[in-house]
């Protein structure tokens, strides 16, 4: 389980160490409206994370049009920008995933 698109907040700020931020928890998760019903967070994470191979992430990133990636001054070109997304997402998958544990703990407290 990574994040749904609405929580890919990192891509609005590439100016700092975005890989370091990939390890951060998402504190507002405890306020998510569906949290009381998200009873299988750890199981879903285990199943979904196994599907997110580097190849799967690469395939999805290749579908992103270059012109969506072209206006970030930090990157020389769309390929470099795409690589930063890849690095971020792969780093987010590495254990331990505090953000996932934080979400599971928040769910347990919400019931």
């Amino acid at each position: 389980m990574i994040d749904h698109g609405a929580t890919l907040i990192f891509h609005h700020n590439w100016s700092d160490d975005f890989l370091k931020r990939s390890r951060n928890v998402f504190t507002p998760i405890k306020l998510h409206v569906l949290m009381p019903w998200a009873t299988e967070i750890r199981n879903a994470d285990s199943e979904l994370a196994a599907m997110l191979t580097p190849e799967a992430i690469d395939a999805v990133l290749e579908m992103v049009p270059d012109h969506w990636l072209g206006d970030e001054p930090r990157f020389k070109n769309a390929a470099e920008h795409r690589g930063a997304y890849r690095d971020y997402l792969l780093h987010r998958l590495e254990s331990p995933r505090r953000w996932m544990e934080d979400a599971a703990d928040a769910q347990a407290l919400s019931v």
Side-chain angles (χ1 to χ4, degrees):
M1 184 172 87
I2 292 184
D3 311 78
H4 58 78
T7 61
L8 292 175
I9 296 166
F10 75 95
H11 70 171
H12 296 289
N13 178 11
W14 292 99
S15 62
D16 67 351
D17 186 355
F18 62 92
L19 286 181
K20 183 178 177 184
R21 281 189 288 136
S22 74
R23 309 305 294 161
N24 292 348
V25 298
F26 183 64
T27 305
I29 193 65
K30 64 183 173 220
L31 304 174
H32 197 287
V33 68
L34 298 177
M35 190 55 76
W37 297 276
T39 59
E40 299 294 324
I41 290 175
R42 286 184 178 90
N43 290 339
D45 175 70
S46 178
E47 183 178 335
L48 296 173
M51 291 186 236
L52 289 171
T53 63
E55 296 79 17
I57 290 171
D58 288 343
V60 171
L61 290 172
E62 284 303 315
M63 291 184 225
V64 177
D66 284 356
H67 68 273
W68 286 9
L69 302 170
D71 64 349
E72 180 55 52
R74 177 181 178 135
F75 306 110
K76 294 178 212 147
N77 53 45
E80 187 177 302
H81 197 170
R82 190 175 277 109
Y85 274 100
R86 181 185 197 273
D87 293 346
Y88 179 92
L89 295 170
L90 290 174
H91 202 241
R92 191 114 168 116
L93 279 170
E94 292 174 7
S95 293
R97 290 194 309 279
R98 285 184 36 236
W99 59 269
M100 189 281 303
E101 291 298 332
D102 191 54
D105 292 345
Q107 192 286 326
L109 294 173
S110 72
V111 289

